[in-house]
Amino acid sequence: MNPETAAVVFATCREYDSRKLRRTLEEMIAVLGVDGFIQPGERVLLKPNLIAPRPAADAVCTHPEVVRAVAMIIRDCGATPFIGDSPGYASLDRCLEKSGIREVVAALDIGVVSFERQVECRRPENHILKRFNLAAPVLEFDRVINLPKLKTHGMMGLTLAVKNLFGCIPGLSKAHWHMRAGHQRQLFARILLDLYQTIKPDLHILDGIVAMEGEGPTGGVPVSLGLLGAAVDGVALDYATEQLLDYPQLTPISQQAIDDNLLIPERIEVAGDFPEHRRPLKTARGSRDAAFPLHRLVRRLVVKNPVISSSRCHRCLVCVKHCPAQAMKFVDRSVRINYNTCIRCYCCHELCPYHAVRVRWGLAWAL
């Protein structure tokens, strides 16, 4: 690979077989030219997508066999793997158990790291995150390897390498930054890019063997893509994945990265083999802007609103507890949304374990 380019490697992998995964990932890392970057005695943090306590078959979380394969590679280097995340709701232990990763942790004696302990970061060079709280363990390891799951996303279009790092913001601190961004996708993209620039993981490995399409990142449908991706540059990996999937428009993260000169598409060098018979993913309803004449004007007037399906709602109140704007209230045994307060971040849609929150068009002036 040319050192002046951003290298991205894709590989076809149709099943979650740990031996095949390990062999494929070793080949991908060799193509990237970073084999040997993990030194004996180092402590390596794995950051999967553990947004919710969901089984592997739902394609919500990073698959346990991807975690197993990467952890085995780390051990072969004489280093020690750890795993950590800050789920959208529920405890890390519950998410590990439900996702099937707990079994891998026990089999390989992987250390589990809570992201509850926080440290204040000061980064005056960042655009938005100049002073913010970060999960302290993220800065305490020799290496960080990011393990995102390929999924559609109601607000950001796709959730890939850069978006997965939002899990390094601990607990309820996420709500503060959702509130700061509101429904401004480009502002939230800039926040995520600031976070990426702060953490700068050593390697990103994308699990797209079985991805999610439709109402992602938790309410969509699993779709077999047979795709693995790897890169040192997570922004380049995101952009290259969007292009490979024929995503209908630049996601807010890629657009903002280009605007901030963090991404130069012409300098991305893509290698590897790609799954055949690809088709565009079905996008989440909240993820696409209007694409017709005067769409910028219409976008100011028309917004997509979260709505509660009374037949699906189990009154678990996850949406109420995690609403950054506190726009959701439990009144008369039902969840009510104050659309004057709602910032259209779609956290309720993202976190609802029963898919009771839908996103639909609505007129801003009518609310």
Side-chain angles (χ1 to χ4, degrees):
M1 288 288 187
N2 187 333
E4 296 184 357
T5 62
V8 177
V9 179
F10 292 112
T12 300
C13 190
R14 292 294 181 185
E15 56 185 339
Y16 288 107
D17 180 278
S18 60
R19 292 183 180 180
K20 292 180 180 178
L21 273 169
R22 180 178 173 184
R23 183 170 60 251
T24 301
L25 289 174
E26 287 173 339
E27 293 171 353
M28 295 170 74
I29 291 170
V31 173
L32 285 175
V34 294
D35 46 328
F37 79 103
I38 298 176
Q39 299 299 310
E42 288 187 330
R43 301 166 71 248
V44 183
L45 176 65
L46 302 180
K47 166 58 181 82
N49 186 321
L50 284 173
I51 184 174
R54 299 282 292 277
D58 287 357
V60 170
C61 302
T62 305
H63 198 280
E65 292 306 323
V66 172
V67 174
R68 187 193 305 272
V70 176
M72 292 173 70
I73 292 173
I74 293 169
R75 286 206 175 278
D76 283 351
C77 294
T80 305
F82 294 79
I83 191 168
D85 198 3
S86 177
Y89 72 95
S91 67
L92 176 59
D93 283 342
R94 186 181 171 201
C95 290
L96 289 170
E97 183 70 33
K98 194 71 175 179
S99 67
I101 295 178
R102 170 65 69 189
E103 181 182 340
V104 176
V105 166
L108 298 182
D109 194 25
I110 300 172
V112 176
V113 181
S114 170
F115 279 10
E116 293 179 2
R117 187 165 53 88
Q118 306 179 26
V119 63
E120 183 182 79
C121 286
R122 298 192 179 192
R123 292 261 304 177
E125 64 270 34
N126 282 351
H127 290 283
I128 308 296
L129 296 183
K130 297 181 181 294
R131 183 175 177 179
F132 66 103
N133 289 336
L134 183 69
V138 176
L139 303 178
E140 297 172 351
F141 284 82
D142 299 302
R143 306 284 179 187
V144 176
I145 298 180
N146 189 22
L147 303 177
K149 184 75 170 178
L150 197 165
K151 299 183 290 183
T152 51
H153 192 276
M155 184 180 187
M156 304 307 289
L158 292 170
T159 172
L160 303 168
V162 174
K163 176 63 176 67
N164 191 50
L165 295 177
F166 196 51
C168 296
I169 299 290
L172 296 178
S173 293
K174 296 186 187 70
H176 169 78
W177 295 110
H178 268 300
M179 188 67 185
R180 172 75 180 273
H183 63 275
Q184 300 178 66
R185 294 175 184 170
Q186 293 307 136
L187 179 56
F188 192 46
R190 181 161 266 175
I191 289 171
L192 293 172
L193 287 167
D194 278 351
L195 183 61
Y196 169 78
Q197 289 287 96
T198 301
I199 300 171
K200 268 296 181 77
D202 298 270
L203 182 65
H204 307 264
I205 295 173
L206 177 66
D207 172 15
I209 297 175
V210 176
M212 177 178 285
E213 66 178 353
E215 298 305 304
T218 59
V221 177
V223 55
S224 180
L225 292 184
L227 179 69
L228 283 174
V232 173
D233 187 329
V235 177
L237 175 59
D238 284 7
Y239 178 85
T241 302
E242 293 167 25
Q243 299 303 302
L244 183 67
L245 297 175
D246 295 323
Y247 194 75
Q249 60 190 25
L250 280 178
T251 64
I253 289 174
S254 289
Q255 182 62 66
Q256 193 62 54
I258 291 173
D259 293 345
D260 292 345
N261 209 34
L262 296 175
L263 173 66
I264 302 176
E266 296 76 17
R267 293 185 181 176
I268 298 176
E269 184 179 354
V270 179
D273 63 310
F274 320 113
E276 297 179 357
H277 311 300
R278 300 188 309 275
R279 61 167 176 80
L281 295 178
K282 296 177 181 177
T283 58
R285 293 179 191 173
S287 64
R288 296 186 62 180
D289 293 328
F292 44 83
L294 301 178
H295 74 275
R296 291 185 184 275
L297 174 61
V298 172
R299 187 173 60 183
R300 294 178 185 175
L301 301 177
V302 182
V303 293
K304 295 185 177 86
N305 298 318
V307 294
I308 308 295
S309 169
S310 58
S311 61
R312 287 175 175 263
C313 182
H314 283 58
R315 301 177 181 84
C316 68
L317 304 188
V318 165
C319 59
V320 175
K321 294 174 184 176
H322 291 84
C323 176
Q326 298 183 334
M328 309 185 82
K329 304 294 182 183
F330 188 58
V331 180
D332 296 332
R333 296 192 56 78
S334 64
V335 177
R336 307 287 178 83
I337 302 175
N338 181 344
Y339 291 107
N340 291 321
T341 306
C342 175
I343 61 174
R344 279 76 175 179
C345 65
Y346 310 125
C347 282
C348 50
H349 169 262
E350 179 175 327
L351 296 179
C352 179
Y354 301 104
H355 314 314
V357 183
R358 293 289 186 258
V359 177
R360 71 181 185 190
W361 288 103
L363 300 179
W365 61 81
L367 298 177

